[in-house]
Amino acid sequence: MDPAFAAKVVVVSASGALAPGPLTASTAALGARGGWRAGFSVAVGHTLVELPLVVAIAYGVGSALSSPLARALLGAVGGAFMVLFAALTLKAAAGGGLEAGGSGRFGSALATGAALSLFNPFFIMWWLGVGSPLIAEAVGRGARGLLEFYAAHVWIDYAWLSLVAELGSVARLNGRAYRALLAALALLMLYFGASTALTAASWLAG
């Protein structure tokens, strides 16, 4: 891959991966129980949605996702999932099963990564808007160019989410800090869920 193009992919990808959002917040909550492995699993789930989306955009079928109805439906389901995740996190913050390995009560980290990607209209819109020019440039280099482009992009997700999850696990050393972290993340997820649902409703109404 052209080093200049690779550098551009890394910088642009970092702007999306490192931005605060529901995926980062949920990873920190899951990491408080499962450590870096939970973050890695979230990244795998994220990839299971993201890679097909990138391929779809590359071959011209991603435009269907840009319709107001599609974005509204994704937002409604995603908002509901975020609110549910927030409720489960609040339950844990209140003392509902803080034992090691209890992350199963949150459900699968992999499933969480997939759901928060698939039903996040802002993630879809980022790829349709910011990511599309990069995909087009990569496709111009052939199938190999597309694979190299995605490899240059996706490692950031794995590194970042694993790091966030590991930092979340540090809070387990102090029970009070652990509960405070979960409560803060739950409120953040509740905000993301409510704002996503409200935005989806405005798209549907419009």
Side-chain angles (χ1 to χ4, degrees):
M1 179 187 288
D2 176 12
F5 180 57
K8 180 165 63 172
V9 170
V10 169
V11 171
V12 174
S13 298
S15 74
L18 276 60
L23 198 66
T24 299
S26 64
T27 298
L30 290 166
R33 294 184 169 194
W36 70 268
R37 292 177 181 81
F40 189 88
S41 295
V42 170
V44 171
H46 177 70
T47 301
L48 292 177
V49 172
E50 184 179 66
L51 181 55
L53 175 63
V54 168
V55 173
I57 294 173
Y59 292 98
V61 298
S63 58
L65 296 172
S66 64
S67 70
L69 179 59
R71 287 184 293 163
L73 291 175
L74 291 170
V77 176
F81 183 88
M82 293 175 207
V83 170
L84 175 61
F85 190 94
L88 294 175
T89 305
L90 278 174
K91 181 180 178 181
L98 296 177
E99 70 279 4
S103 59
R105 294 194 180 188
F106 282 104
S108 166
L110 188 148
T112 298
L116 287 177
S117 303
L118 179 61
F119 299 116
N120 184 352
F122 302 106
F123 161 73
I124 305 292
M125 290 168 64
W126 187 93
W127 271 111
L128 290 173
V130 178
S132 288
L134 294 176
I135 294 174
E137 188 172 347
V139 169
R141 304 164 189 264
R144 180 177 176 179
L146 184 62
L147 288 175
E148 290 178 342
F149 154 74
Y150 190 69
H153 162 82
V154 76
W155 73 267
I156 298 175
D157 292 331
Y158 282 85
W160 173 245
L161 294 175
S162 296
L163 175 62
V164 167
E166 184 60 26
L167 292 176
S169 72
V170 173
R172 288 191 59 82
L173 300 175
N174 183 299
R176 183 174 297 176
Y178 175 56
R179 287 183 169 85
L181 172 66
L182 289 184
L185 292 171
L187 293 176
L188 190 59
M189 286 295 293
L190 189 60
Y191 166 76
F192 285 136
S195 62
T196 298
L198 287 173
T199 302
S202 69
W203 282 332
L204 195 59

